[in-house]
Amino acid sequence: LSHVNSLPYKQQAIWFLNAFWSQGPKFGENPKKCEEIWSAHKTCVELDRTKKEEGNELNEFDAHRLLEKGDGALTVQKMREVLKEIDVDFNKMVSLTEFLIYKFEIDWTVLVNAPQGCDMGAINEAQAGLDNANKMLQFAVSAAARAKEDAANAKVAEEHAIHEETRSAEAAVTAKTAEEALKEAKAQNEAALAELHAQEEAIATKLADLQKIADDPDLGVVKKGKAKAEIAQTKAEDPMPLRMAKIHQEAAVRKVTKATVKAGTTTAAAEVAAKEAVKARDAAANAAVEAEAAATAAEEAIPAAQNAFAEAEALLEEVKKKNTGGGQGQLFYIDRELEEAKRYLPKSKLAKAEAAAAAAKAAAQAKTA
Protein backbone atom coordinates (compact mmCIF):
# COMPACT_ATOMS: atom_id res chain seq x y z
CA LEU A 1 0.00 0.00 0.00
CA SER A 2 2.88 2.38 0.72
CA HIS A 3 4.00 1.96 -2.87
CA VAL A 4 0.56 2.82 -4.28
CA ASN A 5 0.25 5.76 -1.86
CA SER A 6 3.59 7.13 -3.09
CA LEU A 7 2.43 7.32 -6.71
CA PRO A 8 1.21 10.67 -8.15
CA TYR A 9 -2.54 11.26 -7.85
CA LYS A 10 -3.21 10.31 -11.46
CA GLN A 11 -1.37 6.99 -11.18
CA GLN A 12 -3.18 6.20 -7.94
CA ALA A 13 -6.50 6.80 -9.70
CA ILE A 14 -5.48 4.57 -12.62
CA TRP A 15 -4.33 1.79 -10.27
CA PHE A 16 -7.66 1.96 -8.45
CA LEU A 17 -9.65 1.81 -11.69
CA ASN A 18 -7.55 -1.07 -13.04
CA ALA A 19 -8.02 -3.04 -9.81
CA PHE A 20 -11.79 -2.70 -9.71
CA TRP A 21 -12.72 -2.42 -13.38
CA SER A 22 -14.62 -5.71 -13.32
CA GLN A 23 -14.90 -6.44 -9.58
CA GLY A 24 -16.04 -4.59 -6.48
CA PRO A 25 -17.38 -1.20 -7.65
CA LYS A 26 -17.09 -2.51 -11.28
CA PHE A 27 -16.06 0.77 -12.82
CA GLY A 28 -16.22 -0.79 -16.28
CA GLU A 29 -20.01 -0.90 -15.93
CA ASN A 30 -20.45 2.46 -14.26
CA PRO A 31 -19.16 5.55 -16.11
CA LYS A 32 -20.55 7.78 -13.35
CA LYS A 33 -18.26 6.16 -10.77
CA CYS A 34 -15.33 6.51 -13.16
CA GLU A 35 -16.10 10.22 -13.30
CA GLU A 36 -16.06 10.32 -9.48
CA ILE A 37 -12.50 8.95 -9.54
CA TRP A 38 -11.51 11.59 -12.08
CA SER A 39 -13.13 14.32 -10.00
CA ALA A 40 -11.41 13.17 -6.78
CA HIS A 41 -8.05 13.17 -8.58
CA LYS A 42 -8.57 16.72 -9.90
CA THR A 43 -9.74 17.92 -6.47
CA CYS A 44 -6.55 16.58 -4.87
CA VAL A 45 -4.48 18.44 -7.45
CA GLU A 46 -6.46 21.61 -6.74
CA LEU A 47 -5.98 21.28 -2.97
CA ASP A 48 -2.30 20.35 -3.20
CA ARG A 49 -1.02 23.89 -3.71
CA THR A 50 2.65 22.89 -3.57
CA LYS A 51 3.07 19.76 -5.69
CA LYS A 52 -0.13 19.86 -7.78
CA GLU A 53 -0.10 16.90 -10.24
CA GLU A 54 3.19 15.63 -8.84
CA GLY A 55 1.70 15.29 -5.34
CA ASN A 56 0.45 12.06 -3.78
CA GLU A 57 -1.16 12.90 -0.41
CA LEU A 58 -2.83 15.74 1.50
CA ASN A 59 -2.46 17.05 5.02
CA GLU A 60 -5.38 16.71 7.44
CA PHE A 61 -6.74 20.19 6.70
CA ASP A 62 -6.85 19.68 2.94
CA ALA A 63 -8.07 16.09 3.38
CA HIS A 64 -11.00 17.51 5.36
CA ARG A 65 -11.80 19.77 2.40
CA LEU A 66 -11.58 16.77 0.08
CA LEU A 67 -14.06 14.92 2.29
CA GLU A 68 -16.43 17.89 2.31
CA LYS A 69 -16.34 18.09 -1.48
CA GLY A 70 -16.99 14.38 -1.78
CA ASP A 71 -19.42 13.67 1.06
CA GLY A 72 -20.68 17.05 2.20
CA ALA A 73 -19.97 18.93 5.43
CA LEU A 74 -18.63 16.98 8.42
CA THR A 75 -18.35 18.01 12.05
CA VAL A 76 -14.82 18.36 13.40
CA GLN A 77 -15.23 15.25 15.55
CA LYS A 78 -16.65 13.21 12.66
CA MET A 79 -13.93 14.47 10.39
CA ARG A 80 -11.23 13.34 12.82
CA GLU A 81 -12.83 9.94 13.14
CA VAL A 82 -13.02 9.55 9.37
CA LEU A 83 -9.46 10.75 8.83
CA LYS A 84 -8.23 8.30 11.43
CA GLU A 85 -10.12 5.55 9.64
CA ILE A 86 -8.87 6.63 6.20
CA ASP A 87 -5.18 6.97 7.13
CA VAL A 88 -4.41 3.29 6.56
CA ASP A 89 -0.63 3.72 6.84
CA PHE A 90 -0.93 6.00 9.93
CA ASN A 91 1.35 8.77 8.65
CA LYS A 92 -1.16 11.57 9.40
CA MET A 93 -1.47 12.28 5.68
CA VAL A 94 -4.26 11.12 3.36
CA SER A 95 -3.47 9.85 -0.11
CA LEU A 96 -6.00 9.69 -2.95
CA THR A 97 -5.89 5.89 -2.63
CA GLU A 98 -6.78 6.03 1.08
CA PHE A 99 -9.67 8.38 0.33
CA LEU A 100 -10.97 6.03 -2.39
CA ILE A 101 -10.62 3.00 -0.11
CA TYR A 102 -12.84 4.82 2.38
CA LYS A 103 -15.28 6.14 -0.23
CA PHE A 104 -15.88 2.83 -2.01
CA GLU A 105 -15.42 0.66 1.12
CA ILE A 106 -13.04 -1.84 -0.45
CA ASP A 107 -10.36 -4.15 0.98
CA TRP A 108 -7.01 -2.48 0.44
CA THR A 109 -5.25 -5.85 0.25
CA VAL A 110 -7.32 -6.65 -2.84
CA LEU A 111 -6.32 -3.29 -4.29
CA VAL A 112 -2.57 -3.70 -3.87
CA ASN A 113 -2.60 -7.27 -5.23
CA ALA A 114 -4.89 -6.59 -8.20
CA PRO A 115 -3.27 -7.20 -11.63
CA GLN A 116 -2.29 -4.11 -13.54
CA GLY A 117 -1.05 -6.00 -16.58
CA CYS A 118 -1.75 -4.92 -20.16
CA ASP A 119 0.12 -4.08 -23.34
CA MET A 120 2.03 -1.16 -21.84
CA GLY A 121 3.89 -0.52 -25.08
CA ALA A 122 0.63 0.14 -26.92
CA ILE A 123 -0.79 2.10 -24.00
CA ASN A 124 2.35 4.21 -23.73
CA GLU A 125 2.16 4.89 -27.45
CA ALA A 126 -1.48 5.95 -27.06
CA GLN A 127 -0.50 8.12 -24.09
CA ALA A 128 2.35 9.70 -26.06
CA GLY A 129 -0.06 10.45 -28.89
CA LEU A 130 -2.47 12.04 -26.46
CA ASP A 131 0.29 14.11 -24.84
CA ASN A 132 1.43 15.31 -28.24
CA ALA A 133 -2.14 16.20 -29.20
CA ASN A 134 -2.58 18.07 -25.93
CA LYS A 135 0.68 19.93 -26.40
CA MET A 136 -0.13 20.93 -29.97
CA LEU A 137 -3.64 21.92 -29.03
CA GLN A 138 -2.61 24.00 -26.03
CA PHE A 139 0.07 25.76 -28.02
CA ALA A 140 -2.13 26.39 -31.05
CA VAL A 141 -5.13 27.66 -29.10
CA SER A 142 -3.00 29.75 -26.72
CA ALA A 143 -1.05 31.23 -29.61
CA ALA A 144 -4.27 32.01 -31.46
CA ALA A 145 -5.76 33.65 -28.37
CA ARG A 146 -2.63 35.71 -27.75
CA ALA A 147 -2.37 36.71 -31.39
CA LYS A 148 -6.02 37.69 -31.47
CA GLU A 149 -5.56 39.80 -28.33
CA ASP A 150 -2.40 41.36 -29.78
CA ALA A 151 -4.28 42.18 -32.98
CA ALA A 152 -7.08 43.82 -31.00
CA ASN A 153 -4.58 45.81 -28.92
CA ALA A 154 -2.72 46.85 -32.07
CA LYS A 155 -5.97 48.05 -33.61
CA VAL A 156 -6.73 50.11 -30.50
CA ALA A 157 -3.19 51.51 -30.59
CA GLU A 158 -3.63 52.43 -34.26
CA GLU A 159 -6.90 54.22 -33.54
CA HIS A 160 -5.24 56.06 -30.65
CA ALA A 161 -2.32 57.03 -32.90
CA ILE A 162 -4.72 58.36 -35.55
CA HIS A 163 -6.48 60.40 -32.88
CA GLU A 164 -3.15 61.73 -31.59
CA GLU A 165 -2.08 62.57 -35.14
CA THR A 166 -5.25 64.62 -35.69
CA ARG A 167 -4.94 66.31 -32.30
CA SER A 168 -1.27 67.13 -32.83
CA ALA A 169 -1.92 68.54 -36.29
CA GLU A 170 -4.71 70.73 -34.95
CA ALA A 171 -2.49 71.88 -32.07
CA ALA A 172 0.29 72.80 -34.51
CA VAL A 173 -2.14 74.84 -36.63
CA THR A 174 -3.53 76.57 -33.53
CA ALA A 175 -0.03 77.37 -32.25
CA LYS A 176 1.04 78.69 -35.65
CA THR A 177 -2.05 80.89 -35.89
CA ALA A 178 -1.41 82.28 -32.39
CA GLU A 179 2.23 82.93 -33.26
CA GLU A 180 1.28 84.81 -36.45
CA ALA A 181 -1.28 86.90 -34.53
CA LEU A 182 1.37 87.82 -31.96
CA LYS A 183 3.85 88.73 -34.68
CA GLU A 184 1.24 91.04 -36.20
CA ALA A 185 0.52 92.59 -32.77
CA LYS A 186 4.24 93.05 -32.19
CA ALA A 187 4.63 94.82 -35.53
CA GLN A 188 1.74 97.16 -34.75
CA ASN A 189 3.10 97.97 -31.28
CA GLU A 190 6.58 98.59 -32.65
CA ALA A 191 5.10 100.90 -35.30
CA ALA A 192 3.18 102.84 -32.63
CA LEU A 193 6.33 103.12 -30.49
CA ALA A 194 8.31 104.34 -33.48
CA GLU A 195 5.68 107.01 -34.08
CA LEU A 196 6.03 108.23 -30.49
CA HIS A 197 9.82 108.35 -30.81
CA ALA A 198 9.39 110.30 -34.02
CA GLN A 199 7.17 112.82 -32.28
CA GLU A 200 9.76 113.29 -29.51
CA GLU A 201 12.53 113.70 -32.04
CA ALA A 202 10.44 116.22 -34.03
CA ILE A 203 9.92 118.38 -30.92
CA ALA A 204 13.61 118.20 -30.03
CA THR A 205 14.60 119.11 -33.58
CA LYS A 206 12.12 122.01 -33.60
CA LEU A 207 13.50 123.41 -30.33
CA ALA A 208 17.07 123.08 -31.60
CA ASP A 209 16.23 124.94 -34.81
CA LEU A 210 14.41 127.70 -32.91
CA GLN A 211 17.33 128.05 -30.51
CA LYS A 212 19.72 128.54 -33.41
CA ILE A 213 17.53 131.36 -34.70
CA ALA A 214 17.31 132.99 -31.26
CA ASP A 215 21.10 132.84 -30.85
CA ASP A 216 22.01 134.01 -34.35
CA PRO A 217 23.53 137.61 -34.06
CA ASP A 218 23.00 138.31 -37.71
CA LEU A 219 19.20 138.08 -37.48
CA GLY A 220 16.85 140.86 -36.59
CA VAL A 221 15.38 141.46 -33.16
CA VAL A 222 11.86 140.66 -34.31
CA LYS A 223 12.75 137.31 -35.83
CA LYS A 224 14.86 136.33 -32.85
CA GLY A 225 12.11 137.39 -30.45
CA LYS A 226 9.55 135.37 -32.34
CA ALA A 227 11.82 132.30 -32.11
CA LYS A 228 12.29 132.79 -28.38
CA ALA A 229 8.53 133.13 -27.87
CA GLU A 230 7.88 129.90 -29.83
CA ILE A 231 10.55 128.11 -27.77
CA ALA A 232 8.86 129.23 -24.57
CA GLN A 233 5.46 128.16 -25.88
CA THR A 234 6.75 124.70 -26.93
CA LYS A 235 8.46 124.16 -23.60
CA ALA A 236 5.36 125.28 -21.78
CA GLU A 237 3.35 122.45 -23.33
CA ASP A 238 2.86 119.41 -20.97
CA PRO A 239 5.29 116.62 -22.09
CA MET A 240 3.81 114.04 -19.66
CA PRO A 241 1.15 112.47 -22.00
CA LEU A 242 3.76 111.76 -24.65
CA ARG A 243 6.23 110.35 -22.13
CA MET A 244 3.60 108.08 -20.54
CA ALA A 245 2.42 106.92 -23.93
CA LYS A 246 6.01 106.03 -24.83
CA ILE A 247 6.56 104.15 -21.54
CA HIS A 248 3.36 102.15 -21.95
CA GLN A 249 4.11 101.39 -25.57
CA GLU A 250 7.63 100.20 -24.73
CA ALA A 251 6.17 97.88 -22.07
CA ALA A 252 3.63 96.58 -24.57
CA VAL A 253 6.38 95.89 -27.10
CA ARG A 254 8.47 93.98 -24.52
CA LYS A 255 5.44 91.91 -23.48
CA VAL A 256 4.35 91.01 -26.97
CA THR A 257 7.94 90.21 -27.95
CA LYS A 258 8.23 87.77 -25.07
CA ALA A 259 4.87 86.18 -25.96
CA THR A 260 5.92 85.89 -29.61
CA VAL A 261 9.12 84.04 -28.68
CA LYS A 262 7.16 81.67 -26.45
CA ALA A 263 4.58 81.12 -29.19
CA GLY A 264 7.37 80.29 -31.62
CA THR A 265 8.73 77.68 -29.22
CA THR A 266 5.23 76.23 -28.77
CA THR A 267 4.70 76.12 -32.52
CA ALA A 268 8.02 74.33 -33.08
CA ALA A 269 7.20 71.78 -30.38
CA ALA A 270 3.71 71.24 -31.80
CA GLU A 271 5.08 70.69 -35.30
CA VAL A 272 7.62 68.16 -33.98
CA ALA A 273 4.83 66.38 -32.06
CA ALA A 274 2.71 66.30 -35.22
CA LYS A 275 5.55 64.68 -37.17
CA GLU A 276 6.12 62.14 -34.39
CA ALA A 277 2.39 61.40 -34.34
CA VAL A 278 2.50 60.60 -38.06
CA LYS A 279 5.40 58.19 -37.45
CA ALA A 280 3.54 56.61 -34.53
CA ARG A 281 0.43 56.19 -36.65
CA ASP A 282 2.42 54.52 -39.42
CA ALA A 283 4.13 52.21 -36.91
CA ALA A 284 0.80 51.34 -35.27
CA ALA A 285 -0.77 50.61 -38.66
CA ASN A 286 2.11 48.29 -39.56
CA ALA A 287 1.88 46.59 -36.16
CA ALA A 288 -1.84 46.07 -36.65
CA VAL A 289 -1.25 44.45 -40.05
CA GLU A 290 1.48 42.19 -38.62
CA ALA A 291 -0.65 41.24 -35.61
CA GLU A 292 -3.59 40.40 -37.85
CA ALA A 293 -1.33 38.22 -40.01
CA ALA A 294 0.01 36.48 -36.90
CA ALA A 295 -3.53 35.84 -35.67
CA THR A 296 -4.45 34.31 -39.03
CA ALA A 297 -1.33 32.11 -38.97
CA ALA A 298 -2.09 31.00 -35.42
CA GLU A 299 -5.66 30.11 -36.38
CA GLU A 300 -4.35 28.10 -39.31
CA ALA A 301 -2.17 26.06 -36.92
CA ILE A 302 -5.24 24.69 -35.12
CA PRO A 303 -6.09 22.11 -37.86
CA ALA A 304 -2.74 20.43 -37.14
CA ALA A 305 -3.89 20.00 -33.53
CA GLN A 306 -7.19 18.62 -34.82
CA ASN A 307 -5.32 16.03 -36.88
CA ALA A 308 -3.24 15.08 -33.84
CA PHE A 309 -6.47 14.57 -31.90
CA ALA A 310 -7.87 12.38 -34.65
CA GLU A 311 -4.73 10.25 -34.71
CA ALA A 312 -4.68 9.95 -30.92
CA GLU A 313 -8.32 8.88 -30.84
CA ALA A 314 -7.80 6.34 -33.63
CA LEU A 315 -4.83 4.86 -31.80
CA LEU A 316 -6.83 4.78 -28.58
CA GLU A 317 -9.61 2.81 -30.26
CA GLU A 318 -7.07 0.26 -31.51
CA VAL A 319 -5.51 -0.11 -28.06
CA LYS A 320 -8.95 -0.57 -26.50
CA LYS A 321 -9.74 -3.41 -28.86
CA LYS A 322 -6.50 -5.22 -28.06
CA ASN A 323 -6.63 -4.67 -24.28
CA THR A 324 -9.85 -6.22 -23.06
CA GLY A 325 -8.28 -7.41 -19.79
CA GLY A 326 -6.16 -5.34 -17.44
CA GLY A 327 -5.19 -1.74 -17.97
CA GLN A 328 -8.72 -0.46 -18.55
CA GLY A 329 -8.21 2.31 -16.00
CA GLN A 330 -5.25 3.57 -18.00
CA LEU A 331 -7.35 3.49 -21.17
CA PHE A 332 -10.19 5.35 -19.44
CA TYR A 333 -7.75 8.07 -18.45
CA ILE A 334 -6.33 8.41 -21.93
CA ASP A 335 -9.85 8.72 -23.33
CA ARG A 336 -10.96 11.12 -20.57
CA GLU A 337 -7.94 13.38 -20.95
CA LEU A 338 -8.52 13.48 -24.67
CA GLU A 339 -12.10 14.64 -24.11
CA GLU A 340 -10.93 17.18 -21.52
CA ALA A 341 -8.37 18.60 -23.91
CA LYS A 342 -11.04 19.00 -26.58
CA ARG A 343 -12.72 21.60 -24.39
CA TYR A 344 -9.91 23.99 -25.28
CA LEU A 345 -10.79 23.90 -28.94
CA PRO A 346 -12.69 26.96 -30.15
CA LYS A 347 -16.34 26.08 -30.74
CA SER A 348 -15.97 26.93 -34.39
CA LYS A 349 -13.25 24.27 -34.68
CA LEU A 350 -14.82 21.55 -32.54
CA ALA A 351 -17.21 20.20 -35.18
CA LYS A 352 -14.36 19.86 -37.67
CA ALA A 353 -12.19 18.15 -35.06
CA GLU A 354 -14.92 15.62 -34.26
CA ALA A 355 -15.49 14.91 -37.95
CA ALA A 356 -11.77 14.39 -38.51
CA ALA A 357 -11.58 12.09 -35.49
CA ALA A 358 -14.52 10.03 -36.72
CA ALA A 359 -12.86 9.63 -40.12
CA ALA A 360 -9.59 8.55 -38.54
CA LYS A 361 -11.38 6.03 -36.32
CA ALA A 362 -13.15 4.57 -39.32
CA ALA A 363 -9.82 4.23 -41.16
CA ALA A 364 -8.24 2.50 -38.16
CA GLN A 365 -11.15 0.11 -37.84
CA ALA A 366 -10.91 -0.73 -41.53
CA LYS A 367 -7.25 -1.65 -41.11
CA THR A 368 -7.92 -3.96 -38.16
CA ALA A 369 -11.04 -5.56 -39.70
Side-chain angles (χ1 to χ4, degrees), residues 37-38 50 59 72 102 111 118 180 197 202 220 241 243 255 285 315:
I37 300 293
W38 169 272
T50 303
N59 58 42
Y102 162 75
L111 170 68
C118 58
E180 293 299 328
H197 280 299
R243 291 178 183 174
K255 185 175 181 181
L315 180 59

mmCIF file of all heavy atoms in Angstrom, residues 37-38 50 59 72 102 111 118 180 197 202 220 241 243 255 285 315:
data_model
loop_
_atom_site.group_PDB
_atom_site.id
_atom_site.type_symbol
_atom_site.label_atom_id
_atom_site.label_comp_id
_atom_site.label_asym_id
_atom_site.label_seq_id
_atom_site.Cartn_x
_atom_site.Cartn_y
_atom_site.Cartn_z
ATOM 1 N N ILE A 37 -13.940 9.134 -9.727
ATOM 2 C CA ILE A 37 -12.497 8.945 -9.536
ATOM 3 C C ILE A 37 -11.738 10.121 -10.154
ATOM 4 O O ILE A 37 -10.840 10.704 -9.550
ATOM 5 C CB ILE A 37 -12.028 7.627 -10.186
ATOM 6 C CG1 ILE A 37 -12.756 6.431 -9.570
ATOM 7 C CG2 ILE A 37 -10.508 7.476 -10.044
ATOM 8 C CD1 ILE A 37 -12.419 6.153 -8.139
ATOM 9 N N TRP A 38 -12.123 10.460 -11.379
ATOM 10 C CA TRP A 38 -11.506 11.588 -12.081
ATOM 11 C C TRP A 38 -11.655 12.878 -11.269
ATOM 12 O O TRP A 38 -10.708 13.644 -11.102
ATOM 13 C CB TRP A 38 -12.158 11.731 -13.454
ATOM 14 C CG TRP A 38 -11.829 12.997 -14.191
ATOM 15 C CD1 TRP A 38 -12.477 14.188 -14.112
ATOM 16 C CD2 TRP A 38 -10.753 13.202 -15.116
ATOM 17 N NE1 TRP A 38 -11.884 15.118 -14.936
ATOM 18 C CE2 TRP A 38 -10.822 14.551 -15.562
ATOM 19 C CE3 TRP A 38 -9.740 12.389 -15.622
ATOM 20 C CZ2 TRP A 38 -9.932 15.080 -16.480
ATOM 21 C CZ3 TRP A 38 -8.840 12.918 -16.548
ATOM 22 C CH2 TRP A 38 -8.940 14.245 -16.959
ATOM 23 N N THR A 50 1.199 22.933 -3.405
ATOM 24 C CA THR A 50 2.652 22.887 -3.570
ATOM 25 C C THR A 50 3.082 21.975 -4.718
ATOM 26 O O THR A 50 3.788 22.394 -5.630
ATOM 27 C CB THR A 50 3.324 22.403 -2.272
ATOM 28 O OG1 THR A 50 2.949 23.274 -1.197
ATOM 29 C CG2 THR A 50 4.839 22.416 -2.422
ATOM 30 N N ASN A 59 -2.454 16.950 3.569
ATOM 31 C CA ASN A 59 -2.458 17.049 5.023
ATOM 32 C C ASN A 59 -3.892 16.968 5.546
ATOM 33 O O ASN A 59 -4.849 16.949 4.756
ATOM 34 C CB ASN A 59 -1.780 18.356 5.475
ATOM 35 C CG ASN A 59 -2.456 19.594 4.882
ATOM 36 O OD1 ASN A 59 -3.689 19.668 4.829
ATOM 37 N ND2 ASN A 59 -1.661 20.552 4.443
ATOM 38 N N GLY A 72 -19.958 15.996 1.503
ATOM 39 C CA GLY A 72 -20.685 17.054 2.200
ATOM 40 C C GLY A 72 -19.987 17.435 3.486
ATOM 41 O O GLY A 72 -18.951 16.887 3.857
ATOM 42 N N TYR A 102 -11.756 4.440 1.472
ATOM 43 C CA TYR A 102 -12.843 4.815 2.384
ATOM 44 C C TYR A 102 -14.153 5.044 1.617
ATOM 45 O O TYR A 102 -15.207 4.539 2.000
ATOM 46 C CB TYR A 102 -12.458 6.084 3.138
ATOM 47 C CG TYR A 102 -13.620 6.806 3.779
ATOM 48 C CD1 TYR A 102 -14.226 6.318 4.936
ATOM 49 C CD2 TYR A 102 -14.131 7.970 3.195
ATOM 50 C CE1 TYR A 102 -15.307 6.975 5.504
ATOM 51 C CE2 TYR A 102 -15.203 8.636 3.761
ATOM 52 C CZ TYR A 102 -15.802 8.133 4.917
ATOM 53 O OH TYR A 102 -16.883 8.784 5.466
ATOM 54 N N LEU A 111 -6.805 -4.375 -3.421
ATOM 55 C CA LEU A 111 -6.325 -3.293 -4.287
ATOM 56 C C LEU A 111 -4.855 -3.479 -4.631
ATOM 57 O O LEU A 111 -4.473 -3.430 -5.807
ATOM 58 C CB LEU A 111 -6.528 -1.943 -3.579
ATOM 59 C CG LEU A 111 -5.866 -0.736 -4.243
ATOM 60 C CD1 LEU A 111 -6.535 -0.425 -5.572
ATOM 61 C CD2 LEU A 111 -5.925 0.483 -3.323
ATOM 62 N N CYS A 118 -1.160 -5.242 -18.864
ATOM 63 C CA CYS A 118 -1.751 -4.922 -20.160
ATOM 64 C C CYS A 118 -0.606 -4.671 -21.127
ATOM 65 O O CYS A 118 0.555 -4.774 -20.763
ATOM 66 C CB CYS A 118 -2.651 -3.692 -20.061
ATOM 67 S SG CYS A 118 -1.787 -2.235 -19.446
ATOM 68 N N GLU A 180 1.426 83.794 -35.393
ATOM 69 C CA GLU A 180 1.278 84.807 -36.446
ATOM 70 C C GLU A 180 0.528 86.035 -35.923
ATOM 71 O O GLU A 180 0.863 87.184 -36.253
ATOM 72 C CB GLU A 180 0.542 84.207 -37.646
ATOM 73 C CG GLU A 180 1.315 83.120 -38.377
ATOM 74 C CD GLU A 180 2.626 83.624 -38.949
ATOM 75 O OE1 GLU A 180 2.696 84.813 -39.332
ATOM 76 O OE2 GLU A 180 3.601 82.842 -38.991
ATOM 77 N N HIS A 197 8.420 107.908 -30.762
ATOM 78 C CA HIS A 197 9.821 108.346 -30.808
ATOM 79 C C HIS A 197 9.989 109.448 -31.850
ATOM 80 O O HIS A 197 10.722 110.434 -31.630
ATOM 81 C CB HIS A 197 10.744 107.170 -31.142
ATOM 82 C CG HIS A 197 11.049 106.283 -29.966
ATOM 83 N ND1 HIS A 197 11.697 106.744 -28.834
ATOM 84 C CD2 HIS A 197 10.800 104.963 -29.746
ATOM 85 C CE1 HIS A 197 11.834 105.758 -27.966
ATOM 86 N NE2 HIS A 197 11.295 104.655 -28.500
ATOM 87 N N ALA A 202 10.899 115.031 -33.286
ATOM 88 C CA ALA A 202 10.439 116.224 -34.029
ATOM 89 C C ALA A 202 10.418 117.448 -33.115
ATOM 90 O O ALA A 202 10.828 118.566 -33.518
ATOM 91 C CB ALA A 202 9.053 115.942 -34.605
ATOM 92 N N GLY A 220 17.472 139.704 -37.210
ATOM 93 C CA GLY A 220 16.852 140.857 -36.586
ATOM 94 C C GLY A 220 16.217 140.531 -35.241
ATOM 95 O O GLY A 220 15.988 139.375 -34.907
ATOM 96 N N PRO A 241 1.921 113.437 -21.211
ATOM 97 C CA PRO A 241 1.152 112.471 -21.997
ATOM 98 C C PRO A 241 2.005 111.699 -22.993
ATOM 99 O O PRO A 241 1.878 110.487 -23.146
ATOM 100 C CB PRO A 241 0.104 113.331 -22.694
ATOM 101 C CG PRO A 241 -0.067 114.500 -21.780
ATOM 102 C CD PRO A 241 1.316 114.785 -21.248
ATOM 103 N N ARG A 243 5.302 111.242 -22.854
ATOM 104 C CA ARG A 243 6.234 110.351 -22.134
ATOM 105 C C ARG A 243 5.542 109.088 -21.634
ATOM 106 O O ARG A 243 6.083 107.981 -21.731
ATOM 107 C CB ARG A 243 6.848 111.118 -20.955
ATOM 108 C CG ARG A 243 7.805 112.222 -21.379
ATOM 109 C CD ARG A 243 8.333 112.955 -20.162
ATOM 110 N NE ARG A 243 9.205 114.074 -20.550
ATOM 111 C CZ ARG A 243 9.712 114.953 -19.688
ATOM 112 N NH1 ARG A 243 9.404 114.838 -18.386
ATOM 113 N NH2 ARG A 243 10.505 115.928 -20.110
ATOM 114 N N LYS A 255 6.359 92.996 -23.814
ATOM 115 C CA LYS A 255 5.439 91.915 -23.476
ATOM 116 C C LYS A 255 5.089 91.076 -24.699
ATOM 117 O O LYS A 255 5.122 89.839 -24.663
ATOM 118 C CB LYS A 255 4.167 92.494 -22.854
ATOM 119 C CG LYS A 255 3.191 91.440 -22.366
ATOM 120 C CD LYS A 255 2.008 92.098 -21.658
ATOM 121 C CE LYS A 255 1.039 91.022 -21.143
ATOM 122 N NZ LYS A 255 -0.132 91.633 -20.466
ATOM 123 N N ALA A 285 -0.075 51.251 -37.530
ATOM 124 C CA ALA A 285 -0.769 50.614 -38.656
ATOM 125 C C ALA A 285 -0.023 49.359 -39.101
ATOM 126 O O ALA A 285 -0.630 48.307 -39.357
ATOM 127 C CB ALA A 285 -0.904 51.596 -39.809
ATOM 128 N N LEU A 315 -5.746 5.761 -32.491
ATOM 129 C CA LEU A 315 -4.827 4.858 -31.800
ATOM 130 C C LEU A 315 -5.455 4.331 -30.513
ATOM 131 O O LEU A 315 -5.317 3.150 -30.171
ATOM 132 C CB LEU A 315 -3.522 5.598 -31.485
ATOM 133 C CG LEU A 315 -2.437 4.790 -30.762
ATOM 134 C CD1 LEU A 315 -2.047 3.573 -31.583
ATOM 135 C CD2 LEU A 315 -1.216 5.668 -30.494
#
